Amino acid sequence: MRISNFNFRKVMLLIVDAVIISICGVISNFILQVLDFQTGFRSIVETPYVVVSILINVIICICCLFICGAYNKAWRYFNAKDYLSCLIGMVAGVVLSTLVLSLRYNSFNYVLPYTLISGGLSVVGVVLFRLIFKRAFIKINDAGAIDVGERTLIVGAGNAGRIILEDIFNAKQDSDNPSKSIFPVGFIDDDILKQNNVINSVRVLGQTTDIPKICEKENISLIIFAIPSCEEEERKRILDICSKTKCKIKIIPYISKLLLDEGVDGTRLLNQVKDIRIEDLLGRPPITFDKSSIKTLVEGKVCMITGGGGSIGSELVRQIAQYNPKRIVIVDIYENNAYDIQQELRLEYGDKVNLDTIIASVRDYDKMEQIFAQERPDLVWHAAAHKHVPLMETVPCEAIKNNIFGTYNVARLAQKYGVKKFVMISTDKAVNPTNVMGATKRCCEMIIQYMSQNTTGTDFVTTRFGNVLGSNGSVIPIFRRQIENGKPITVTHPDIIRYFMTIPEAVSLVLEAASMAKGGEIFVLDMGEPVKITTLAENLCRMYGKIPYKDVEIKFTGLRPGEKLFEELLMDEEGLKQTDNEKIFIGNQIHIDKDKLLHSLDELKECASENDDDEALKLLAEIVPTFNHQTNK
């Protein structure tokens, strides 16, 4: 059984106090003899009475210090309240010693001069020792002579926090354990009853609102968030406060994912502490979905994913593979991404998943028809699209060819070859679009609604969501590269906001939407509160242990062509309808004038084929009345 470092330090502190009180007793006796007071006391060598008096004084003062909590915290943690507890303990000890010695020698006046001098010196000595020793330690530590480790604040003084503290102490005994470098300075907890409590020598220093002040005062470099059962909104609030410091932040997993006991592989709680993710700051819990309905949809079916090598498409492939499909058909124009997801699935599943990977463009109707005729898909997820807003502003005809007519090609073929469900992946940028990409995706939504209103054999459905964390072109990977390369973070506007979701959430939405689709719906995910991009950039800086605007410059470059300050998820006329999943809503269908749409599409296709950007944009604005093109030039 391990002997606690804390217990050893407490005994050493107790011995030092006893020595100080004893020396003060000898000094007081010497002073009395020099001053020739008639107390009956002589030198310590000449009489045993002084030894007895010192012993009684030491025992009573040490007991009073214990009662006042002077040994509940190691000297290096001492603050003003702790010095006051020492002072109270020593004064109480001196008073009690005076009473005991008076009874012992049957004379109050006989004892009082000795106890006053001895007690006064002892009070000063005990308090002064702690103060001097702490300051000396801090100076030596700041100078680098003593390496106590990474000064750490643990947020949460509950069971998880206590176990983490125990793991930190255990790690000190293992020279190969990387956690041995962690030095726990204190706890933070909002429970009023826990304030100033001491847990295995580490004090609860304050509440979450005190974190920035405590981090600065105690020179904290690492914060461990140890409240795994915390509600998501509260988690976001606390992490936002932590992000205001210059500390690195680590977070333990949700309570359902914790291994609180040592497992067969030796896993301990401290080993499960992870770097904080930007997803933790989104302000809402992860979205849950009905996996049984998805399994019913996918199992035994031929599933085609266009754009299957992209960030959304590849995650669709991963999740669909879990539900035992008859075959997965990946269609993508970019062979590198398609090859990567193909190899990933083969490594994961081997021959258990029947997989076809086809390099083709959705713009090529004849090639796509060949694929449909050969593969005969039951379900199609259409994720292929040009999505980068600034790039599409420079080549609007390419966006029109790929997004609009690529979607039209695949949708018509899905109808022709009897696909059961067709799911088109849209974006919040399709709502009241201000850029070419958003306008083309809104036109795609109109095509899917037109197909739904004029088709009986296939359920056509649209899924719409905001920005996806970690996707190709997402701000997070860009910000990371900029920080790691020592470059300034570039944000287009200080007030720009976006809705965010994770890739798995986005794909789960797409899959569940397909399972509940009856045709023509636009499924919209409740994505919580929008997130300020500037805040994301600042928090990412702090994740790297850097101070935004000081260690890392954040430059505002101005809105790019077609970029909005904020995005919307629903057009005004669509409204909302609740589904069985409280986080998924359905926008009402908008009637599409078939003849007008088809005629406009013919004109648009001809114009795009001639690469007449100006005329193509005019026609696109006619098809999408809400398109308010903003060039931001």
Side-chain angles (χ1 to χ4, degrees):
M1 181 173 148
R2 178 179 66 89
I3 298 176
S4 171
N5 289 334
F6 163 68
N7 290 335
F8 174 75
R9 291 191 297 267
K10 182 166 66 174
V11 171
M12 291 301 298
L13 189 59
L14 186 149
I15 291 173
V16 169
D17 287 343
V19 170
I20 290 173
I21 296 170
S22 299
I23 292 174
C24 290
V26 174
I27 293 174
S28 66
N29 183 61
F30 176 76
I31 291 173
L32 289 172
Q33 287 206 343
V34 169
L35 296 177
D36 197 25
F37 275 80
Q38 298 302 314
T39 60
F41 279 85
R42 294 177 226 157
S43 70
I44 194 169
V45 177
E46 296 175 347
T47 177
Y49 296 119
V50 174
V51 176
V52 174
S53 299
I54 290 174
L55 184 60
I56 291 174
N57 201 20
V58 167
I59 292 173
I60 293 176
C61 286
I62 293 295
C63 289
C64 288
L65 286 172
F66 255 116
I67 294 171
C68 291
Y71 299 108
N72 289 344
K73 188 177 183 182
W75 46 264
R76 62 179 174 273
Y77 298 118
F78 263 58
N79 54 34
K81 291 183 179 179
D82 298 304
Y83 292 119
L84 182 61
S85 69
C86 286
L87 180 62
I88 294 172
M90 285 301 300
V91 170
V94 170
V95 171
L96 289 176
S97 295
T98 301
L99 295 177
V100 171
L101 290 174
S102 296
L103 293 174
R104 170 73 174 79
Y105 297 109
N106 297 317
S107 173
F108 182 75
N109 295 328
Y110 182 78
V111 170
L112 185 60
Y114 168 79
T115 54
L116 283 177
I117 298 174
S118 174
L121 293 174
S122 298
V123 169
V124 174
V126 168
V127 174
L128 195 61
F129 170 78
R130 284 162 169 77
L131 181 63
I132 294 174
F133 210 74
K134 178 184 177 180
R135 290 186 176 180
F137 176 84
I138 291 174
K139 287 182 179 179
I140 294 172
N141 182 38
D142 290 343
I146 296 179
D147 181 16
V148 297
E150 191 165 25
R151 295 178 66 82
T152 301
L153 193 66
I154 302 173
V155 180
N159 289 335
R162 292 168 184 263
I163 294 172
I164 281 182
L165 182 63
E166 182 67 21
D167 281 356
I168 290 172
F169 286 148
N170 286 332
K172 304 295 183 184
Q173 315 302 316
D174 182 1
S175 59
D176 296 326
N177 193 323
S179 301
K180 71 181 186 299
S181 63
I182 295 177
F183 178 74
V185 172
F187 282 101
I188 291 292
D189 203 290
D190 282 332
D191 188 346
I192 296 177
L193 297 179
K194 292 181 181 177
Q195 298 307 304
N196 289 315
N197 285 358
V198 176
I199 303 169
N200 204 4
S201 83
V202 180
R203 185 181 294 276
V204 179
L205 300 177
Q207 297 178 307
T208 53
T209 53
D210 302 320
I211 289 175
K213 177 179 65 178
I214 291 172
C215 287
E216 182 177 358
K217 178 182 177 182
E218 298 290 345
N219 195 25
I220 302 297
S221 60
L222 172 65
I223 297 174
I224 296 179
F225 185 90
I227 316 177
S229 58
C230 186
E231 293 292 333
E232 195 64 31
E233 289 187 6
E234 181 69 2
R235 177 184 295 252
K236 178 181 181 297
R237 182 189 70 80
I238 297 172
L239 289 175
D240 280 343
I241 294 173
C242 294
S243 296
K244 294 177 182 177
T245 70
K246 61 182 179 180
C247 304
K248 291 181 290 184
I249 307 170
K250 292 183 179 290
I251 184 169
I252 63 174
Y254 288 94
I255 195 70
S256 59
K257 299 179 181 178
L258 283 178
L259 300 172
L260 293 178
D261 297 319
E262 187 168 353
V264 294
D265 61 347
T267 301
R268 296 287 294 178
L269 181 59
L270 194 62
N271 301 121
Q272 300 173 67
V273 174
K274 306 297 182 185
D275 288 334
I276 186 175
R277 305 168 302 157
I278 289 294
E279 294 95 302
D280 293 314
L281 302 176
L282 294 185
R284 57 173 175 79
I287 308 301
T288 57
F289 295 88
D290 183 2
K291 293 184 178 181
S292 63
S293 66
I294 298 173
K295 181 177 181 180
T296 301
L297 171 72
V298 169
E299 191 171 28
K301 306 292 196 316
V302 178
C303 302
M304 177 188 288
I305 302 96
T306 68
S311 50
I312 294 294
S314 61
E315 181 65 20
L316 273 167
V317 172
R318 292 184 191 97
Q319 292 197 24
I320 288 171
Q322 301 173 14
Y323 298 105
N324 194 29
K326 180 179 180 181
R327 185 166 65 257
I328 298 177
V329 182
I330 298 173
V331 179
D332 204 298
I333 189 62
Y334 184 42
E335 72 275 15
N336 289 351
N337 282 349
Y339 178 78
D340 286 344
I341 188 62
Q342 178 197 58
Q343 295 305 304
E344 180 183 328
L345 257 66
R346 285 181 176 172
L347 181 64
E348 178 75 18
Y349 295 98
D351 297 332
K352 294 179 181 179
V353 172
N354 188 2
L355 181 66
D356 287 343
T357 305
I358 304 170
I359 304 303
S361 172
V362 293
R363 291 161 62 164
D364 187 339
Y365 182 88
D366 293 335
K367 178 60 178 178
M368 291 305 300
E369 181 165 29
Q370 186 182 57
I371 295 171
F372 270 84
Q374 176 183 327
E375 300 291 346
R376 295 287 177 169
D378 300 300
L379 308 169
V380 173
W381 284 268
H382 180 53
H386 288 326
K387 305 181 183 73
H388 292 265
V389 170
L391 290 180
M392 294 306 101
E393 290 298 304
T394 63
V395 285
C397 284
E398 294 305 304
I400 289 168
K401 294 173 190 175
N402 194 71
N403 293 1
I404 295 176
F405 293 104
T407 297
Y408 195 26
N409 287 342
V410 180
R412 285 187 294 160
L413 289 169
Q415 179 190 40
K416 181 176 180 178
Y417 286 90
V419 170
K420 293 182 176 62
K421 290 182 185 287
F422 180 97
V423 183
M424 198 273 291
I425 296 173
S426 188
T427 170
D428 54 358
K429 294 174 178 62
V431 182
N432 299 322
T434 59
N435 53 67
V436 172
M437 194 281 282
T440 60
K441 295 300 282 187
R442 177 56 189 157
C443 187
C444 291
E445 292 182 355
M446 296 171 69
I447 290 172
I448 297 306
Q449 292 201 326
Y450 151 71
M451 295 297 297
S452 175
Q453 292 166 11
N454 294 275
T455 303
T456 56
T458 303
D459 294 332
F460 286 92
V461 61
T462 296
T463 57
R464 184 192 292 159
F465 44 82
N467 297 270
V468 181
L469 290 170
S471 66
N472 296 329
S474 168
V475 295
I476 303 303
I478 295 172
F479 289 169
R480 285 186 186 276
R481 286 196 297 270
Q482 289 172 331
I483 294 173
E484 290 167 1
N485 291 326
K487 304 292 184 181
I489 292 179
T490 54
V491 180
T492 58
H493 193 284
D495 298 322
I496 193 167
I497 61 174
R498 289 291 181 266
Y499 291 94
F500 280 97
M501 65 189 311
T502 65
I503 292 177
E505 282 181 326
V507 168
S508 295
L509 165 67
V510 171
L511 291 174
E512 184 157 359
S515 70
M516 66 174 65
K518 294 180 172 58
E521 302 97 334
I522 296 179
F523 288 91
V524 182
L525 176 65
D526 177 5
M527 301 179 69
E529 294 298 320
V531 178
K532 202 171 183 179
I533 301 299
T534 304
T535 302
L536 280 181
E538 292 168 350
N539 288 338
L540 194 58
C541 286
R542 296 181 181 106
M543 280 176 54
Y544 280 87
K546 299 179 183 295
I547 304 174
Y549 309 105
K550 180 180 177 182
D551 299 328
V552 178
E553 183 183 0
I554 298 179
K555 295 176 65 175
F556 299 103
T557 58
L559 291 175
R560 299 173 297 181
E563 188 173 38
K564 292 182 179 181
L565 273 179
F566 61 93
E567 303 290 356
E568 305 155 272
L569 291 178
L570 278 172
M571 297 178 67
D572 291 338
E573 68 267 31
E574 287 179 311
L576 282 176
K577 184 171 66 175
Q578 182 75 55
T579 68
D580 291 338
N581 188 318
E582 63 180 12
K583 294 296 183 179
I584 302 178
F585 297 86
I586 299 176
N588 296 325
Q589 293 190 34
I590 302 171
H591 179 72
I592 304 297
D593 187 323
K594 172 183 175 182
D595 295 333
K596 182 179 179 180
L597 177 64
L598 293 180
H599 176 71
S600 298
L601 288 176
D602 287 340
E603 288 185 332
L604 183 62
K605 184 174 184 180
E606 182 179 351
C607 189
S609 298
E610 295 173 358
N611 295 308
D612 187 343
D613 289 342
D614 291 337
E615 188 62 28
L617 286 173
K618 290 180 183 178
L619 291 171
L620 183 59
E622 291 177 6
I623 297 173
V624 182
T626 56
F627 180 27
N628 179 22
H629 197 202
Q630 297 177 5
T631 59
N632 296 324
K633 292 181 180 178

